[in-house]
Amino acid sequence: MGNAVDSVLLNDWYALAKVDELQPGTVVHRQLLDRDIVLWRGEDGSIHAWADRCPHRSVQLSGGQVVQNTLICPYHGMVYNAQGRCIKVPSAPNYVPPPQAQVLTYAVQEQYGLVFVCLGKPANDIPVFPEWEDDRYLKVLSGPHYCHTGGYRAIENFLDVAHFPFLHREILGDPALPVIEDYEVTIAANGVHFDNVRVWQPDPMGTGQGAYVTYRYSALRPLTAYLQKGNPAGECLAILYCVTPVSEEECTGWMWVAVNFMGPDQAEAALAFQDKIFAQDLGNLESHNPKRLPLNPKAEFHVPCDRGSLAYRQWLKQLGITYGVIS
Ligand code: FES
Ligand code: FE
């Protein structure tokens, strides 16, 4: 049915949980690239991401329980240590489990308050979010937002300004000023970049003040994008958008928003603003048919300001991506 998962995607990092929601002793199920994953945190605080399958009779380990730094399968109570090795068989205490009594384990990393997992051999670092370390910026996390569409459709929407006057009218665009002037697009080793995307916005920063703003966008990884927008007054808003491919036609988005013109007491307002924008995008995103992104330029028609999205599609093709796209 679906495509095999490309190594470029398997070797990348995806956010699966907030670090805070995984308190010691927690076990949760997630789906990533069509695979069932169990995330759990031992009582020593270490976080583990494993295939959610007990190698004994193939049930989900996410129905199990954490005891100290082990995970216990709900079916026959086998005990797995932090390395995924079966170390105890309750029905035969003296039996030494065979080599197959080993759960498939994955690489885990904590970054930006999120738990990132790589199902293959990590080929890249998690993309840098430059504003993260900058104390002048207030940071809020919008999401996770589940969306029944392919992850590339979500990234492409994030990179698209021409929809602002329509889907986000009165906030990010004005239907009376829908023209998008030409902007610079480059495809580089570290992704696709759009520079000098200039638009008038009635309320670009969620403060009620209209302004011309200039955007800079990057697709840093096939499913990770970044934007920075600023106005002449020096106000700046940046977003790191991490999209987790649940399946070829479903995704979950995590948006870290950083703003340099709001204080900690305005965190709720900053989050409400971003959530409102995403709520306007969601129904539209889910209405895409097909939900997978077509890489053949003839499959949909394009207008001048779609140069950026065409470059993104071209880059995905160059990377040899087949999962979640229509070639
Ligand atoms: Fe997990 Fe038997 S299926 S212990
Ligand atoms: Fe939008």
Side-chain angles (χ1 to χ4, degrees), residues 26 43 69 82 181 192 223 242 306:
T26 308
E43 270 149 31
N69 300 314
E181 301 293 345
V192 182
L223 291 164
C242 301
D306 293 327

Side-chain angles (χ1 to χ4, degrees), residues 54 56-57 59 73 75-78:
C54 177
H56 178 228
R57 286 294 178 269
V59 303
C73 179
Y75 198 0
H76 309 101
M78 310 274 186

Side-chain angles (χ1 to χ4, degrees), residues 161-180 198-204 210-213 215:
V161 294
H163 76 282
F164 289 169
F166 305 97
L167 270 190
H168 308 297
R169 67 182 65 201
E170 268 117 57
I171 307 174
L172 298 183
D174 180 343
L177 295 164
V179 175
I180 307 298
R198 200 161 171 269
V199 276
W200 164 262
Q201 297 191 324
D203 185 14
Y212 270 103
V213 292
Y215 278 81

Side-chain angles (χ1 to χ4, degrees), residues 19 49-50 78 88-89 97 106 119 123 144 156 184 188 191 237 239 245 256-257 272 295 318:
V19 173
W50 294 356
M78 310 274 186
K88 195 171 161 194
V89 179
Y106 302 119
L119 299 184
E156 208 176 70
E184 295 141 41
L237 179 153
I239 300 179
W256 266 116
V257 184
L295 298 191
Q318 281 172 15

